[in-house]
Amino acid sequence: MSIQDYRAFHRRSIEDKEGFWAEQARMIYWHKDFERVLDFSRPPFAKWFLGGETNLCHNAVDRHLEDRAEQNALVYVSTETGEQKSYTYRELYGEVNTFAASLKELGVGRGDRVVIYMPMMVEAIFAMLACVRLGAIHSVVFGGFAAENLAKRIDDAKPKVMVTANAGVRGGRVIPYRPLVDEAMEATGHPPETVVICRREVDAEMPQAAGRGMDYADLRRKHEGEEVPVEWVESSEPSYILYTSGTTGTPKGVQRDTGGHAVALTSSMKHVFASNPGETMFTASDIGWVVGHSYIVYAPLMYGMASIVYEGLPIRPDPGIWWRIVQDHGVNIMFTSPTAIRALRRQDPEYMTKYDTSTLRNLFLAGEPLDEPTSRWAAESLGTSVRDNYWQTETGWPILSSMLPGLEDEPVVAGSAGYPVYGYDVRLMHEVTGEEVPAGERGIVAIKAPLPPGCMSTIWGDDERFVQTYFSDFPDPEMYSTFDWGVKDERDGRYYIMGRSDDVINVSGHRLGTREIEEAISDHPEVAEAAAVGVKDEYKGQVVLAYVVPKDGGKVETDAGRAELEQSVKDIVDRKVGAIARPASVYFVEALPKTRSGKLLRRSIQALAESRDPGDLSTLEDPGTLDSVRATGPVRK
Ligand code: AMP
């Protein structure tokens, strides 16, 4: 295929959606064939493969027993606990059935929710697959989130059961889950009936979970060897919920369907990730994020690959660890974030060439803008192609990619996220008029509905919010907003992504909501008001800066008072949101810049902190408030 052929392939995916996706749908197993490919009778909601019955667990596990039962399905490597264990598809089948039998005993069935709050333990994956086997809906909550954040997600999903662990381990430090789980159980209005606790061999007490805890070891012993029949579900039934942050304090539950999800992910393994069944994929992410859901768990397994499940940092025990894994397991494709590569770039470059990584064909990077120097450095030091791809929790798989059929031999253009992936009708819209902008002009990246298979079907329990959030920015009510800035190259049609157009902060490829951080800080008894903004950072993409108005201005007049309040503001963010959201710096100001209608001007604060022009200030209520921001630490005039 050439790039011209790909353009035709893409065009067909838009102009003949039904024909195109009916063909892709043959890549998965259908217990009952679908009657219609697409139902778009209630825009912007799209339903794919109507009437079809399938099951994600069957596609990811059972289906492979025939051809690849003895092939590795999961290879677990933890440099935190030293554990290393492989599971063939047959062994995975056994573990998933045991977990499913355990959940079934606890009353979990079709449509029930199960919250999975876990570190990178292989049991987390068994639990996910067990849920979908039963037709239950999992909601994985990132294991680094704080108790309050967990409680908010429990409140929204109202799970029957929660699966958790006794501890996470990060950088060699044990993080006991007991206080987190117990506090969340206190804080939630909908405590799950049972909390299944997976115990790992570290020094940490088991959570009490308000007396509802159960040791998974006991359940496992009881149900080992049992088989649980697959629950066939209709294609549009939800398979999972994954919460993501936006500009409000309440996270949105991205709801994924079953059939569309299975088809899109399986097809992406072939066309976007250019891989083959039987090969090995190493996605260095966390199951708490969408990349982990899609490319550690579902896509590689549904496609019959071996997936490396890694717990640990990229630089521990030394910065060669990932490449040693590539060598030892013959990894063919790898996927991680630009931040991880930037972290490796700060280390001794010898580690990049110390191991034989010749099996590796492509290194995929996503989650945040990929800068040219990082892209070039990785490609040169590994001797492999580096492929940027751009997507979101909402879409579940790439919107733009620099690896597509026909692009294999095209030179990679560092800095560009590539071309629209088949199925995505990508447009660029003017921020103010909401009309399409021509190539070469900056606009907001939008997708003309129906969104392709695999994308979110709605916000869990809130159709109205789904429409309001994603489909109300442009005059066309069928135009989905990504909230990202982008530009299309006039000459070759490649896209460049230039960051968020809203206030969402992206730290090391992780999305953080400004309001969530601000609400946490405002709960501090000595804080009157707070603003959180994301500011450019050489290594993490962005870092969080907090601008805080103290109740007692006198307190921050002394160095000691300032230091104490700064520390306790950071601590409260740790406690309420999680350590990843901790502000890099806290600045105390007399007042925050707001418009006359009281809207916080975060973008002006951000611009000042990045030494840029604060923009149009005509709506500013009190210009003096900007001087207060200007007078703080990082701001260079
Ligand atoms: P999340 O839903 O947490 O994966 O975050 C999605 C957001 O990350 C997008 O809306 C973008 O702002 C950013 N993002 C993801 N991938 C890329 C990429 N390849 N280039 C630039 N930004 C990206």
Side-chain angles (χ1 to χ4, degrees):
M1 238 195 209
S2 67
I3 178 72
Q4 278 72 28
D5 296 330
Y6 176 70
R7 286 189 209 279
F9 185 78
H10 179 267
R11 204 174 316 116
R12 179 163 175 247
S13 76
I14 304 302
E15 289 170 2
D16 174 23
K17 293 184 178 61
E18 311 226 348
F20 181 90
W21 285 108
E23 281 167 24
Q24 299 300 316
R26 295 296 152 225
M27 291 181 80
I28 70 154
Y29 173 81
W30 293 93
H31 176 66
K32 178 172 168 277
D33 208 359
F34 46 89
E35 287 145 26
R36 272 178 70 190
V37 176
L38 169 66
D39 175 1
F40 194 48
S41 57
R42 192 168 71 101
F45 299 90
K47 284 187 173 179
W48 289 95
F49 309 114
L50 242 78
E53 285 180 8
T54 187
N55 180 288
L56 287 179
C57 182
H58 178 89
N59 275 288
V61 185
D62 303 35
R63 190 164 66 123
H64 303 305
L65 293 182
E66 206 174 303
D67 294 337
R68 46 185 92 250
E70 306 314 325
Q71 178 201 306
N72 275 343
L74 299 178
V75 178
Y76 180 69
V77 181
S78 171
T79 50
E80 298 291 2
T81 61
E83 201 185 328
Q84 180 153 345
K85 193 164 183 234
S86 299
Y87 297 83
T88 62
Y89 272 98
R90 188 189 305 287
E91 287 163 337
L92 178 62
Y93 176 82
E95 294 291 350
V96 170
N97 272 277
T98 306
F99 218 114
S102 308
L103 291 178
K104 203 171 167 183
E105 177 196 316
L106 302 175
V108 174
R110 190 167 181 164
D112 289 332
R113 274 82 58 212
V114 174
V115 162
I116 300 175
Y117 176 66
M118 288 182 79
M120 281 294 283
M121 286 168 75
V122 77
E123 285 78 3
I125 298 177
F126 302 156
M128 291 166 79
L129 292 167
C131 285
V132 294
R133 185 173 194 84
L134 297 169
I137 302 163
H138 60 68
S139 169
V140 180
V141 177
F142 173 58
F145 277 146
E148 198 159 307
N149 233 330
L150 171 60
K152 269 191 203 169
R153 286 154 173 79
I154 295 176
D155 282 343
D156 193 68
K158 303 183 183 60
K160 181 163 250 172
V161 169
M162 173 155 80
V163 183
T164 186
N166 59 335
V169 195
R170 192 163 168 81
R173 200 166 61 89
V174 173
I175 302 156
Y177 270 26
R178 180 169 169 174
L180 300 164
V181 171
D182 290 359
E183 207 181 295
M185 288 293 281
E186 286 279 310
T188 174
H190 295 273
E193 287 166 24
T194 315
V195 178
V196 176
I197 305 157
C198 300
R199 185 199 294 265
R200 55 198 331 201
E201 295 305 318
V202 293
D203 187 20
E205 284 176 22
M206 297 287 270
Q208 292 299 294
R212 298 169 187 222
M214 244 187 170
D215 190 335
Y216 179 61
D218 297 333
L219 286 163
R220 187 175 185 279
R221 215 171 299 119
K222 189 165 159 196
H223 295 289
E224 207 172 351
E226 276 178 39
E227 286 179 295
V228 179
V230 157
E231 181 82 19
W232 301 109
V233 297
E234 201 273 334
S235 177
S236 53
E237 282 183 52
S239 57
Y240 76 72
I241 310 167
L242 179 58
Y243 289 87
T244 186
S245 298
T247 43
T248 69
T250 322
K252 296 182 285 271
V254 167
Q255 178 179 320
R256 197 91 55 210
D257 73 349
T258 298
H261 179 205
V263 171
L265 289 187
T266 310
S267 134
S268 76
M269 288 314 303
K270 177 173 175 185
H271 298 304
V272 184
F273 292 89
S275 57
N276 301 296
E279 291 188 328
T280 301
M281 178 166 200
F282 177 10
T283 298
S285 177
D286 189 288
I287 43 131
W289 310 117
V290 71
V291 173
H293 279 61
S294 295
Y295 294 105
I296 296 175
V297 185
Y298 289 112
L301 293 180
M302 287 194 290
Y303 199 48
M305 298 176 75
S307 177
I308 309 272
V309 183
Y310 177 74
E311 180 186 49
L313 303 176
I315 52 170
R316 234 179 135 261
D318 64 53
I321 179 63
W322 282 1
W323 318 118
R324 196 175 85 203
I325 292 175
V326 169
Q327 170 186 280
D328 291 354
H329 299 281
V331 172
N332 306 103
I333 51 172
M334 190 159 170
F335 191 170
T336 191
S337 65
T339 290
I341 301 300
R342 285 193 292 264
L344 291 175
R345 201 173 163 210
R346 292 158 79 180
Q347 314 291 326
D348 184 344
E350 269 197 10
Y351 285 108
M352 299 298 282
T353 46
K354 191 168 170 196
Y355 299 98
D356 177 4
T357 55
S358 57
T359 50
L360 194 61
R361 286 196 302 271
N362 286 298
L363 169 64
F364 290 89
L365 298 177
E368 58 184 316
L370 171 60
D371 54 291
E372 282 191 49
T374 303
S375 175
R376 286 225 173 80
W377 178 81
E380 280 162 21
S381 43
L382 284 173
T384 187
S385 297
V386 172
R387 309 282 185 170
D388 193 0
N389 58 111
Y390 156 79
W391 46 296
Q392 314 179 297
T393 304
E394 287 85 345
T395 65
W397 64 295
I399 304 168
L400 299 174
S401 175
S402 48
M403 182 66 191
L404 286 161
L407 291 189
E408 298 88 346
D409 301 323
E410 294 268 317
V412 171
V413 177
S416 163
Y419 296 98
V421 172
Y422 55 94
Y424 289 94
D425 187 355
V426 178
R427 317 277 179 99
L428 288 170
M429 316 300 283
H430 193 277
E431 186 191 24
V432 179
T433 65
E435 303 298 334
E436 268 191 73
V437 300
E441 264 181 46
R442 193 172 95 133
I444 294 188
V445 181
I447 305 163
K448 174 82 178 164
L451 298 178
C455 290
M456 75 189 294
S457 21
T458 186
I459 291 178
W460 172 255
D462 202 343
D463 283 355
E464 183 55 35
R465 191 174 175 206
F466 172 69
V467 177
Q468 277 307 318
T469 306
Y470 298 107
F471 292 92
S472 62
D473 273 15
F474 312 116
D476 181 350
E478 292 179 16
M479 200 60 81
Y480 168 91
S481 177
T482 63
F483 300 102
D484 282 305
W485 288 112
V487 67
K488 179 174 162 179
D489 191 302
E490 295 150 286
R491 290 153 306 173
D492 60 15
R494 280 192 171 85
Y495 281 76
Y496 292 77
I497 297 294
M498 296 132 92
R500 298 282 299 196
S501 65
D502 57 6
D503 292 324
V504 161
I505 304 175
N506 189 322
V507 177
S508 307
H510 303 316
R511 204 203 289 196
L512 304 172
T514 37
R515 274 312 298 159
E516 284 169 72
I517 302 172
E518 288 164 1
E519 282 173 14
I521 300 175
S522 304
D523 272 353
H524 191 296
E526 291 176 63
V527 168
E529 240 190 326
V533 297
V535 172
K536 270 205 187 78
D537 179 80
E538 202 186 335
Y539 298 115
K540 296 181 172 179
Q542 285 188 316
V543 290
V544 180
L545 296 187
Y547 290 81
V548 170
V549 182
K551 279 189 182 152
D552 169 13
K555 168 146 188 181
V556 295
E557 270 167 23
T558 65
D559 286 349
R562 238 185 348 259
E564 191 198 310
L565 193 52
E566 166 155 14
Q567 190 54 48
S568 62
V569 164
K570 289 181 179 175
D571 289 347
I572 203 166
V573 175
D574 270 17
R575 227 174 34 249
K576 287 182 175 276
V577 188
I580 53 166
R582 182 191 304 153
S585 302
V586 180
Y587 297 104
F588 298 103
V589 292
E590 282 161 29
L592 294 168
K594 290 188 183 159
T595 63
R596 276 176 218 107
S597 56
K599 203 167 166 286
L600 191 57
L601 282 171
R602 292 191 195 84
R603 273 191 243 177
S604 302
I605 303 177
Q606 181 192 40
L608 285 178
E610 290 179 349
S611 312
R612 287 184 288 112
D613 179 351
D616 177 13
L617 297 176
S618 56
T619 56
L620 190 65
E621 159 95 348
D622 170 8
T625 51
L626 270 192
D627 295 336
S628 176
V629 170
R630 255 192 208 106
T632 58
V635 185
R636 290 158 301 233
K637 292 188 187 118

